[in-house]
Amino acid sequence: MKLPFIKLVPSLVRQGVKSQAGALSASDRRLLDVCSLPAEKALDGLGAQKEGLGAEAVEAARERHGFNALSRKEKKFFVFEILERFKNPLAVQLLVIGAISLWIGDVRSAVVVGAMVFLSVVLSYVQETRSGKAVEELQKMVQANTLVLRGGKETEIPTVELVPGDIVVLHAGAMIPADLRLISAKDFFLSQSALTGESLPIEKAAELNGSAPKSVIELPNACFQGSYVVSGTARGVAVNTGENTYLGSISARLAGEKTQTSFDRGIQDFTWLMIRFMVVMVSLVFVIVGLTKHDWLQALLFAMSVAVGLTPEMLPMILTVNLSKGALTMSKKKVIVKRLNSIQNFGAIDILCTDKTGTITQDRIVLEKFVDVTNRPSDDVLRYAYMNSYYQTGLRNLLDRAILSHTDLDVEKAARKVDEIPFDFQRKRMSVVIETEDAHVMITKGSVEDVYSACGSYQLDDEVMPLIDVIRRDLMEEYERLSRAGYRVLSVAYKEFPKDKTSFGVQDEKDLVLLGYLAFYDPPKDSAAKALGALERMGVAIKILTGDNELVTQKICGDVGLDAKSVITGGQLAALDEAGLAAAAERHVIFARLSPAQKEQIIAALQKAGHVVGYMGDGINDAPALNLADVGVSVDTAVDVAKESADIILLEKSLMVLEDGILEGRRVFGNITKYIKMGASSNFGNMFSVVGGSYFLPFLPMLPIQILMNNLLYDISQTGIPMDNVDPEYLAKPKKWNIGNIKKFMLFVGPISSVFDYATYFLMLYFFGCIAFKAGGAGAPYLERLFHTGWFVESLLTQTLIVYIIRTKKIPFLESSPSMPMVFATVMAVTVGVFLPNTHFAGKLGFVPLPAAYWAWIVGFMLAYAAITHGVKVWFYRKFGDD
């Protein structure tokens, strides 16, 4: 039997919330009304046309409906944005202290509090706004686009520019950009899991075919923003956009249910730890000072000042600047951060799951062979494969592109397309139907096993013969041989139908005639082995999760140094129970023939075992895994749904780029933990010093204004932390959030500062004679001020300069150098604190010049403090580690 004649001639030209109950909104009613009409009348009612809107109609629609964006926080005049920040409990606390200070006539304290408010609120606003704008600009680089008809031509536009009346062209992998009414659809399946929680795809059609359902979300001919195309093709007219969409009506609720990352939970744990310490200490100080000094107003002011000193008010700014700086640095290395909080998790990854294509291979698939069932070159196989790839309207993968680039044929003159059966991940094949002179011919292309299973015969030359078991075994052996050599293999088959049959479906893919197969090769990247080795040295294990067969995957993985023997297939995984799956996920390196659901199961099993899992993917079937992983990584060329699901977007699909991003994530985490460890240990030490001093001293250890000034200078000294250097050894392995380790660090390091605070107390009381205050007399006020000044300077020096000890596991300066911004910030704060008692402002702040002998003592204290803290730090890291 001869193949149906399809003459090809050279061409001259080469995108979980349940349905809302209750009354329908105006937007939902509008969608329901439009979907209840026939397609033609629906278009007329919307003022739309099948060939799309013209430029004037687009502008008019945008004037009426605005841009296609979900509800966001309205941009306010900067003064109002700054005023909003005063709702912060810390800012309220500062304002109350300032108001009380003014009420009792203490203008000096009110001025210092004002400076702290400026630093906490205004400076934080400036830094965060600057960083936020920079990050927004980066995120625009990976904004979603939508394919629409404008003036009869298919045009890709930013999704935000879509307007009601636009005709949207949909294919596998596309995100639904607005609420649409379908006007045509072919084997069209959507995932609405983001809206309904339903994991299974739902089929959609162009017409209602029955009475309208009670719930808008159940409309069979409507597509809702937030869902995505699993398979098939369709066109739809935009009905509702932006805030008027179904998703827009529940976006606030969805945002409120956002899952916290381990980073968010860690920061929250630290904040509550500090709050608990503050409540305990402030209560104790208030009672002790009130009972011993018999001045309850003074006790209140002092306690509130202590509360300010114990509150890590710079934490929000430190976090934002660190994360934003990390995002900007990563962008220079071709890594775009979509969600800032994912940066820390990026650095904490200890297992990276990825497909092999484009990561360990060159992503340049070449068609090497097109042969019949006897392994002879066959132009018929190439022509039929070309027709299949050319006429399919779904998502063209790399294999399709390799076929189309291998030759240059004008198919439209040879045959007309009749129908199409799109690809899906269950059948793993796709078919197009074309018209020839005598028949309609279905051409099917797909995975070898899935095409073979639909075949009942094979063709050799002009003869069609039964596909008996012996032939099947021979064909499978050749397929396995090619796979072991690293080739990816597809089969091509066909079937003839009468010309009066014009509609086709999956049920027609049976009794096909096997024509031959195609072999593709995608060689390993030269840099893959080096990149994998670097990731392994960084403590990141690689696991390959692929839908490809195990033979070709083993070959490629073996070539780049992965354990090619450690392989398991999807079929084998399906036979395991939960415990067996967990063990297999931990033990194996290569996972082949996986379904999208199995990728999720592997990631969930690894997470349950305590791993921080990154997943890198760019296909439709990768979207669930990208959502589930601690960090989802995709590429700029990925399908819309993959980019939407990802936290990180790579502008270059390379493990080397990924390595740079992971290092920057660890650097950001390192600088954040420096501030947290400093704040925790410093506050814990201060608790002992202030409570003890308030009890046994005949006066306050420090005046409220002095505590506030001390805290102000300390805050200034911390502004350089986001720009600090991080030791290479710290970056060498994943870092997980560990609040338990921070608590231990606080317990062991914090009390050291308290020891030197008490040493300063006794130095000022007994060596410099401040104890004479007890005897009264004219010199008593001076001696009290001398005590306050002495402890102010010592306290500032110890808690500020100790950052150089805490910032590294090594010997400071000799083995690890801080950054210049860090040095500048701390030196500036310390210089102001040291010279303040000798300035014009000293009297207003209650300070007096310190005697020369004090400085000799304080230098000794600082050297001893540094040596002891460094020793305890070294012992701590040896015993408990630095995680």
Side-chain angles (χ1 to χ4, degrees), residues 126-194:
V126 171
Q127 290 277 21
E128 290 180 25
T129 302
R130 183 185 302 166
S131 300
K133 286 181 179 177
V135 172
E136 282 180 13
E137 288 302 313
L138 292 176
Q139 292 174 343
K140 287 180 182 177
M141 296 171 64
V142 292
Q143 67 181 358
N145 292 324
T146 297
L147 191 63
V148 300
L149 284 176
R150 291 269 176 95
K153 295 181 180 179
E154 290 189 0
T155 306
E156 193 170 66
I157 64 169
T159 300
V160 72
E161 295 181 7
L162 189 77
V163 297
D166 263 324
I167 303 299
V168 181
V169 181
L170 300 169
H171 53 73
M175 293 293 297
I176 303 301
D179 288 353
L180 311 178
R181 194 272 190 220
L182 293 178
I183 57 176
S184 67
K186 174 62 179 174
D187 297 318
F188 192 61
F189 287 83
L190 287 182
S191 171
Q192 294 186 162
S193 57

Side-chain angles (χ1 to χ4, degrees), residues 26 33 37 109 123 231 240 254 335 401 500 512 526 597 603 625 655 677 763 766 823 825 834 883:
D33 290 343
L37 297 172
S109 293
L123 181 59
S231 64
N240 296 322
L254 286 174
V335 180
R401 293 171 189 167
D500 58 359
L512 304 181
D526 296 333
I603 292 172
L655 292 176
K677 285 182 176 179
L763 174 72
Y766 296 104
V823 173
V834 167
D883 289 333

Side-chain angles (χ1 to χ4, degrees), residues 349-353 535-536 539-543:
I349 289 172
D350 62 341
I351 291 181
L352 175 66
C353 299
L535 288 171
E536 185 177 353
V540 180
I542 302 293
K543 292 185 184 291

Side-chain angles (χ1 to χ4, degrees), residues 1 14 135 142 207 244 246 277 291 317 328 363 391 445 504 538 558 593 618 625 659 689 696 725 854 873:
M1 173 184 174
R14 271 253 184 223
V135 172
V142 292
E207 298 302 337
N244 294 321
Y246 184 85
F277 273 115
L291 292 174
M317 191 193 81
L328 293 170
D363 211 8
Y391 273 126
K445 176 178 95 268
F504 296 81
M538 291 166 58
R593 300 182 187 271
D618 59 1
E659 177 192 350
S689 304
F696 77 81
N725 302 324
Y854 170 86
K873 174 194 70 178

